[in-house]
């Protein structure tokens, strides 16, 4: 049974999860992942899986040029909303068996981070270890254990309360987690609505700012 803040999520149908999420202060798609309902409904997924590569590379600019975060976020919000591409289904390799790693990696995929992008954000923004892309996949598949320190490092750029992450994964919170980056978390969430071409536009601007 999956419980969150005293609520039995197993008892809720999809419409119930959608109604509950705002009351908990959570994104609807995140609540589906926390409840073990993966993949999330199509209308709640990131717009274009093909944008994940460019979004992942943003990690270095957001890490080494934090002053650029507001400008890049404003640019993301200024771009028009494009229709969802017809072939926007998530890759089959992003489907995982139930487990704490599947919850965490599912939340990363909700931000349109593929394995490589998640590794970049973990090392840069999250101040965690440098893991390979395949190791992130192993976390999702349960072949590498999710530790408290890893959970806290990833949580740096996830706008989800630590208590909820701990309860949903069954992983205790470490004593001294790294500081959170709500600015990066908000930018990442808004970037999930971008097409691949729009994400490349953001990445090009980020690289230009780093060179200036």
């Amino acid at each position: 049974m999956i419980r969150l803040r005293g609520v039995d999520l197993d008892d809720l149908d999809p419409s119930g999860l959608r109604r509950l999420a705002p009351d908990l202060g959570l994104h609807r798609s995140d609540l589906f992942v926390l409840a073990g309902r993966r993949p999330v409904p199509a209308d709640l997924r990131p717009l274009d899986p093909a944008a994940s590569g460019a979004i992942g590379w943003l990690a270095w600019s957001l890490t080494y040029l934090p002053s650029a975060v507001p400008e890049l976020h404003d640019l993301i919000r200024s771009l028009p909303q494009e229709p969802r591409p017809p072939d926007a289904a998530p890759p089959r390799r992003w489907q995982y068996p139930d487990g704490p790693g599947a919850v965490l990696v599912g939340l990363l995929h909700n931000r349109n981070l593929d394995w490589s992008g998640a590794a970049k954000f973990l090392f840069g923004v999250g101040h965690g270890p440098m893991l390979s892309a395949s190791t992130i996949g192993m976390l999702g598949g349960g072949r590498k254990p999710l530790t408290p320190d890893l959970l806290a490092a990833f949580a740096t750029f996830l706008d989800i309360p630590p208590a909820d992450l701990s309860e949903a994964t069954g992983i205790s919170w470490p004593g001294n987690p790294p500081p959170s980056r709500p600015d990066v978390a908000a930018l990442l969430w808004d970037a999930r609505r971008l097409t691949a071409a729009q994400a490349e536009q953001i990445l090009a601007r980020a690289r230009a700012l780093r060179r200036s």
Side-chain angles (χ1 to χ4, degrees):
M1 180 174 293
I2 300 176
R3 294 175 60 86
L4 189 67
R5 303 189 207 177
V7 179
D8 293 333
L9 300 182
D10 290 338
D11 294 338
L12 298 177
D13 61 14
S15 62
L17 290 172
R18 288 174 185 264
R19 291 193 300 271
L20 177 64
D23 293 338
L24 298 179
L26 296 171
H27 300 296
R28 290 180 174 87
S29 56
D30 281 346
L31 186 57
F32 272 83
V33 173
L34 295 172
R37 312 287 181 87
R38 301 180 304 273
V40 301
D43 66 304
L44 297 181
R45 298 173 195 160
L47 183 77
D48 186 359
S52 61
I55 291 172
W57 280 111
L58 282 176
W60 306 131
S61 295
L62 302 181
T63 299
Y64 300 113
L65 194 62
S67 61
V69 174
E71 178 178 336
L72 294 173
H73 199 175
D74 285 345
L75 179 56
I76 287 170
R77 287 180 291 205
S78 72
L79 294 175
Q81 183 62 64
E82 300 289 347
R84 185 178 297 273
D87 55 349
R92 289 184 60 84
R93 66 180 182 279
W94 288 10
Q95 299 178 17
Y96 311 102
D98 289 341
V103 173
L104 174 66
V105 178
L107 295 171
L108 297 170
H109 291 336
N110 259 358
R111 283 136 185 89
N112 216 358
L113 289 175
D114 58 16
W115 296 346
S116 178
K120 293 182 181 74
F121 272 84
L122 170 67
F123 179 75
V125 180
H127 306 289
M130 173 56 86
L131 301 182
S132 67
S134 61
T135 301
I136 302 298
M138 291 171 64
L139 275 172
R143 300 187 301 279
K144 178 179 174 59
L146 178 61
T147 65
D149 286 340
L150 274 178
L151 179 66
F154 279 115
T156 300
F157 50 91
L158 296 175
D159 49 349
I160 299 175
D164 289 347
L165 284 173
S166 183
E167 187 172 9
T169 60
I171 305 296
S172 60
W173 205 245
N176 295 299
S180 65
R181 288 291 306 274
D183 56 338
V184 174
L187 182 151
L188 260 180
W189 185 260
D190 286 345
R192 69 196 297 275
R193 74 174 188 85
L194 302 179
T195 63
Q198 290 174 326
E200 289 290 347
Q201 181 179 342
I202 301 300
L203 180 59
R205 180 56 183 159
R207 287 171 169 164
L209 288 171
R210 288 183 64 188
R211 290 193 298 267
S212 63

